[in-house]
Amino acid sequence: MNLLIKSAKIIDRHSPFHLKTQDILIENGKITEISSTIKNINNIKEIELENLHISVGWFDTSVSFGEPGFEERENLPNGLNVAAKSGFTAVAVNPNTYPVIDNKSAVEFLINKAKGNIVNLYPIANLTQQASGQEIAELFDMSNSGAIAFSDYNKSISNANLMKIALLYAQNFDGLVMSFPQNNSLSNNGVANEGAMSTKLGLKGIPTVAEELQIARDLFLLEYTGGKLHIPTISTEKSVKLIAEAKKKGLNVTCSVSAHHLFLNDSELNEFDTNYKVKPPLREKTDLNALKKGIVNGTIDMITSDHNPIDIENKKVEFENAKNGTIGMESFFGAINKVLPLEKTIDCITNSPRMRFKIENPTIAKGEIANITLFNPDTEYVFGEENIFSTSKNSAFIGKQLKGKVYGIFANNKFVIN
């Protein structure tokens, strides 16, 4: 496909055109020219949009789609369509399906189902068989089939010896082990952050130490075993400090934070709206501020939507009985762009996650394959149901003032524009 993008400000610190406003010519899916002015001599499709910015295509490292098994929440075709409309050219899909993704056939099913799509899908496979936390799954076989990391999504590994063995074994093929940061005995079926708000509302609390103790354990194990560890969706001030200290020691650890933990705090629970019931729970303002500082200073490596569609039957119930999760791709850029510097935001959803998950990292330069996201970072709007493309509508951002509009993406020689 051929495309001429006019007057776009390039946000890509690896590009020689970083922070410059240029025309970009794409021919047969490849960038063939970048210049201050390019004449459209062949009368190809031209894109000229208000305050147009472009970056390398965004990569979301934690997305749930439901298929197979929970298609009423979301299926793969529509989920990938939502990703494209939300600015993502690649997504890492969680294994919280039925059956779970704990063998090579399940990994290959996801990859084959997504073939030919404008958005690249990368499976995260289960770390343990049946996501039970008891026996390690077929990690090497699943890695060979295309799994980019191993995690029992939103389920912590209580057995420290199992985590130790996983970190040791994965080194044989440079595998990335992920560990959800929650100590189950301390969380004890809580439903909200343990603090003033949970006490006021009479909700069973999950203390911050439940997250921090698990992280401390896993960092001790990593120091003992070596290997690579990724801690997804941290949520507390102390967690940021623990990971910063581990990095200073030279441990091979990375972490992510969700958009909703950067934008929302536990004061949102005042009306018992189950869309705010997420895992980890929304924390206090001091934690939120520490997470934002962790992004800016580089302690936190990446930001994810942690997109998790939940059907209405599992959300429109009492708060204690509702399933955890919020959709987040549609609101993602508008939320994080509202609270973080633009260049840092873009780096946390392009270069940093691709490097960690060993995915080819494109750049915006002549001769490169075009993999780009088009957006306007200055558009302000109130997020509403009309902005939701997902099958499930469980968004924690409805009614929130956001900043930043996605225009579309170009990837795999295809173009989608909103």
Side-chain angles (χ1 to χ4, degrees):
M1 182 179 182
N2 299 333
L3 195 69
L4 177 58
I5 300 172
K6 300 290 291 183
S7 300
K9 186 172 183 178
I10 297 170
I11 310 295
D12 177 10
R13 63 182 174 88
H14 294 299
S15 170
F17 301 98
H18 181 47
L19 300 181
K20 296 180 180 178
T21 300
Q22 302 283 295
D23 291 357
I24 300 98
L25 179 63
I26 299 170
E27 295 179 292
N28 296 320
K30 183 177 286 189
I31 299 172
T32 56
E33 189 176 351
I34 301 178
S35 179
S36 56
T37 303
I38 300 174
K39 291 184 179 179
N40 192 357
I41 57 176
N42 293 321
N43 197 30
I44 64 176
K45 184 178 178 67
E46 197 169 301
I47 299 296
E48 190 164 6
L49 298 164
E50 181 183 359
N51 193 32
L52 177 60
H53 288 57
I54 68 168
S55 72
V56 169
W58 303 343
F59 175 35
D60 193 341
T61 59
S62 179
V63 170
S64 301
F65 284 151
E67 187 175 357
F70 301 111
E71 287 84 355
E72 72 278 6
R73 300 176 187 175
E74 189 62 278
N75 60 41
L76 280 171
N78 192 63
L80 292 169
N81 178 58
V82 173
K85 289 178 176 290
S86 303
F88 297 101
T89 63
V91 291
V93 175
N94 294 312
N96 53 331
T97 54
Y98 185 78
V100 296
I101 312 301
D102 67 349
N103 59 79
K104 60 182 292 186
S105 296
V107 170
E108 290 164 359
F109 166 80
L110 290 177
I111 292 173
N112 291 330
K113 190 76 185 278
K115 269 185 180 174
N117 201 283
I118 188 172
V119 177
N120 290 320
L121 181 151
Y122 298 97
I124 295 173
N126 281 104
L127 182 64
T128 67
Q129 296 175 27
Q130 298 297 309
S132 65
Q134 302 299 314
E135 299 286 342
I136 290 178
E138 303 167 355
L139 306 189
F140 180 67
D141 284 349
M142 293 190 292
S143 177
N144 286 340
S145 293
I148 60 169
F150 305 97
S151 165
D152 291 349
Y153 175 70
N154 273 4
K155 293 182 178 180
S156 56
I157 303 298
S158 299
N159 186 328
N161 189 55
L162 188 148
M163 179 57 66
K164 182 194 79 170
I165 292 169
L167 286 166
L168 287 168
Y169 177 63
Q171 292 177 55
N172 292 306
F173 52 94
D174 197 29
L176 179 61
V177 173
M178 299 171 65
S179 179
F180 181 70
Q182 180 172 287
N183 179 288
N184 291 331
S185 60
L186 281 169
S187 63
N188 196 25
N189 299 316
V191 296
N193 178 60
E194 185 175 273
M197 183 56 66
S198 64
T199 302
K200 172 187 171 184
L201 300 177
L203 295 174
K204 191 171 185 180
I206 301 174
T208 57
V209 71
E211 174 171 309
E212 296 148 6
L213 187 63
Q214 190 79 354
I215 289 175
R217 184 206 74 173
D218 288 339
L219 292 174
F220 272 115
L221 289 172
L222 181 66
E223 188 172 12
Y224 178 76
T225 62
K228 299 194 304 185
L229 176 67
H230 178 69
I231 303 174
T233 59
I234 67 170
S235 68
T236 82
E237 181 178 18
K238 181 68 173 176
S239 295
V240 178
K241 291 178 181 177
L242 287 167
I243 291 167
E245 290 166 3
K247 287 186 172 187
K248 284 179 183 176
K249 287 182 178 179
L251 299 186
N252 193 345
V253 61
T254 52
C255 66
S256 68
V257 62
S258 77
H260 43 272
H261 284 101
L262 292 169
F263 194 88
L264 305 166
N265 62 70
D266 63 354
S267 66
E268 302 287 350
L269 304 185
N270 212 29
E271 301 296 324
F272 296 95
D273 186 339
T274 59
N275 286 331
Y276 298 116
K277 188 183 180 188
V278 292
K279 191 175 182 180
L282 297 178
R283 302 291 188 183
E284 297 178 357
K285 287 183 180 179
T286 52
D287 296 300
L288 185 148
N289 291 332
L291 293 169
K292 288 190 284 190
K293 288 178 184 176
I295 286 287
V296 173
N297 66 29
T299 300
I300 299 173
D301 304 272
M302 58 199 81
I303 311 169
T304 174
S305 71
D306 202 25
H307 179 84
N308 191 2
I310 303 295
D311 53 283
I312 192 169
E313 287 81 3
N314 285 297
K315 273 295 187 182
K316 202 169 184 179
V317 293
E318 295 83 359
F319 195 90
E320 292 87 345
N321 297 325
K323 285 190 177 294
N324 293 293
T326 175
I327 57 171
M329 285 197 292
E330 298 97 315
S331 54
F332 178 81
F333 180 62
I336 61 173
N337 184 54
K338 180 86 172 176
V339 298
L340 291 170
L342 178 61
E343 288 181 58
K344 192 64 182 178
T345 292
I346 296 302
D347 194 53
C348 285
I349 57 178
T350 56
N351 303 306
S352 293
R354 281 190 172 91
M355 288 174 62
R356 187 51 165 174
F357 286 87
K358 296 193 302 180
I359 292 170
E360 186 176 354
N361 196 25
T363 189
I364 298 174
K366 185 176 178 179
E368 293 286 324
I369 299 296
N371 186 317
I372 58 176
T373 299
L374 299 83
F375 59 96
N376 179 347
D378 298 326
T379 299
E380 298 212 24
Y381 68 104
V382 175
F383 187 81
E385 286 202 18
E386 68 276 9
N387 303 113
I388 295 176
F389 309 114
S390 299
T391 301
S392 296
K393 311 301 178 186
N394 58 304
S395 173
F397 291 93
I398 291 175
K400 303 300 181 186
Q401 184 83 22
L402 305 184
K403 181 185 177 185
K405 175 184 179 181
V406 173
Y407 284 131
I409 63 171
F410 189 102
N412 293 324
N413 202 19
K414 297 176 183 178
F415 182 53
V416 166
I417 190 163
N418 291 329

